[in-house]
């Protein structure tokens, strides 16, 4: 079966403000918002921390999603309002479930000199999007074959599986290919797939993909053939089409404009007193999003646009 491959090029955006480190974003885009339940893909680095300042994301909120943090280089310290404290390292997954509401921080560690990785979001289906917040950490064992290596951090691929819990069927894996190696991967025909190239140059079933590109393949395929034209590393993402319309704005996922407005108001009410953001390490109340124990003032929500937020499909 021949399926068209759509290559999505990244756009560069600041992470957390105009002076923050910059990331290359491929999801969401105007003509594509999701691949399966994957709804957000940021690719960053390799960045010299001495030059960029690294990643410093004070407390900020989320609803209706899971965050999947995956590093190629450097380390991040994760703290959240359910009490989790974990270090994100290369080849290890931190999966945070926001559910009805959570807040967290991500800060590059003092020993990190080079920061390089991907930040991924997963939309939660309506049936479970108000679940309790939580956190999981998983370090997948690599599987290897002639000229290739894989780490499956979500779902199943190449005879290995991840134990982490997702709310819809999903696939997330890192693949490393030697120059000239062609790997045919058996995949679920009910899934659509995305290939995010980190480094190198590959062809996906004959379509060339460059670093930071995200290639989308519609459902219906039982195999994908990835050929490395030079030594390459990529993320393979997948899942059945999500099938639900979402509203996504800033760090919130909901189902209506009014719901997002409410989330924003709750966050602002939680972190402000007399109209000003509270001092670092304090909070007016735990509220929907809880409190993170870190000596940085929380990030206030931006102003909403003067138009109704649109549904994304």
């Amino acid at each position: 079966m021949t399926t068209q491959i759509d290559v999505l090029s990244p756009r560069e955006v600041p992470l957390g403000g105009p002076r923050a480190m910059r990331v290359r974003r491929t999801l969401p885009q105007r003509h594509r918002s999701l691949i399966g339940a994957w709804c957000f893909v940021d690719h960053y680095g390799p960045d010299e921390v001495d030059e960029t300042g690294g990643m410093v994301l004070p407390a900020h909120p989320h609803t209706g999603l899971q965050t999947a943090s995956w590093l190629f280089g450097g380390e991040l310290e994760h703290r959240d309002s359910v009490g989790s404290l974990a270090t994100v390292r290369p080849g290890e997954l931190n999966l945070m479930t926001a559910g009805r509401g959570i807040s967290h921080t991500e800060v590059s560690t003092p020993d990190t000199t080079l920061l390089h990785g991907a930040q991924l979001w997963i939309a939660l289906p309506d049936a479970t999007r108000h679940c309790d917040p939580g956190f999981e950490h998983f370090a997948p064992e690599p599987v290897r074959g002639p000229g290739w290596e894989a780490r499956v951090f979500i779902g199943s691929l190449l005879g290995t599986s991840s134990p982490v819990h997702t709310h819809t069927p999903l696939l997330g894996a890192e693949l490393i290919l030697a120059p000239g190696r062609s790997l045919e991967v058996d995949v679920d025909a009910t899934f659509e797939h995305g290939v995010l190239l980190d480094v190198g140059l590959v062809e996906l079933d004959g379509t060339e993909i460059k670093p930071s590109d995200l290639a989308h393949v519609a459902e219906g395929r039982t195999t994908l053939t990835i050929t490395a034209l030079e030594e390459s590393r990529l993320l393979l993402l997948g899942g059945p089409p999500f099938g639900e319309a979402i509203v996504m704005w800033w760090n919130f996922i909901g189902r209506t404009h009014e719901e997002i407005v409410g989330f924003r108001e709750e966050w602002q009410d939680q972190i402000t007193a007399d109209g000003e953001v509270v001092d670092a390490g304090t909070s007016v109340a735990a509220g929907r999003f809880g409190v993170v124990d870190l000596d940085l003032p929380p990030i206030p929500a931006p102003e909403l646009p003067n138009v109704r937020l649109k549904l994304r499909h």
Side-chain angles (χ1 to χ4, degrees), residues 49-192:
V49 170
D50 286 346
E51 297 176 6
T52 65
M55 186 179 292
V56 182
L57 281 178
H60 58 282
H62 289 289
T63 59
L65 56 84
Q66 292 178 295
T67 65
S69 299
W70 187 261
L71 287 180
F72 306 119
E75 293 183 348
L76 296 172
E77 182 187 82
H78 165 97
R79 295 173 184 255
D80 63 42
S81 56
V82 298
S84 310
L85 172 58
T87 301
V88 190
R89 299 183 177 89
E92 301 180 5
L93 173 72
N94 273 10
L95 184 70
M96 184 185 75
T97 300
R100 65 175 179 270
I102 199 170
S103 58
H104 76 124
T105 65
E106 281 190 316
V107 179
S108 45
T109 60
D111 293 336
T112 294
T113 58
L114 195 74
L115 195 58
H116 185 189
Q119 182 66 44
L120 314 167
W121 292 1
I122 302 161
L124 296 179
D126 192 56
T128 60
R129 67 189 180 96
H130 297 295
C131 67
D132 291 341
F135 179 83
E136 293 178 77
H137 175 84
F138 174 56
E141 289 293 329
V143 292
R144 298 182 176 92
W148 63 269
E149 178 178 292
R151 286 175 170 81
V152 179
F153 52 87
I154 289 177
S156 299
L157 190 76
L158 295 166
T160 187
S161 297
S162 165
V164 302
H165 177 66
T166 61
H167 295 249
T168 56
L170 282 177
L171 169 64
E174 177 189 280
L175 298 176
I176 300 174
L177 301 178
R181 179 68 170 104
S182 187
L183 178 64
E184 185 176 84
V185 184
D186 293 330
V187 293
D188 191 323
T190 67
F191 282 22
E192 55 183 337

Side-chain angles (χ1 to χ4, degrees), residues 5 18 34 45 57 91 113 132 138 140 144 199-200 211 251 260 272 276 280 297 305:
I5 296 174
L34 299 107
L57 281 178
T113 58
D132 291 341
F138 174 56
R144 298 182 176 92
V199 293
N251 299 315
I260 298 296
T272 58
E276 299 295 329

Side-chain angles (χ1 to χ4, degrees), residues 177-229:
L177 301 178
R181 179 68 170 104
S182 187
L183 178 64
E184 185 176 84
V185 184
D186 293 330
V187 293
D188 191 323
T190 67
F191 282 22
E192 55 183 337
H193 291 89
V195 172
L196 174 71
L197 184 61
D198 173 42
V199 293
L201 186 66
V202 302
E203 288 184 349
L204 175 61
D205 291 316
T207 297
E208 186 175 282
I209 306 171
K210 299 176 182 177
S212 296
D213 282 349
L214 178 65
H216 170 257
V217 186
E219 67 272 26
R221 300 288 295 272
T222 57
T223 62
L224 297 174
T225 301
I226 304 167
T227 301
L229 306 181

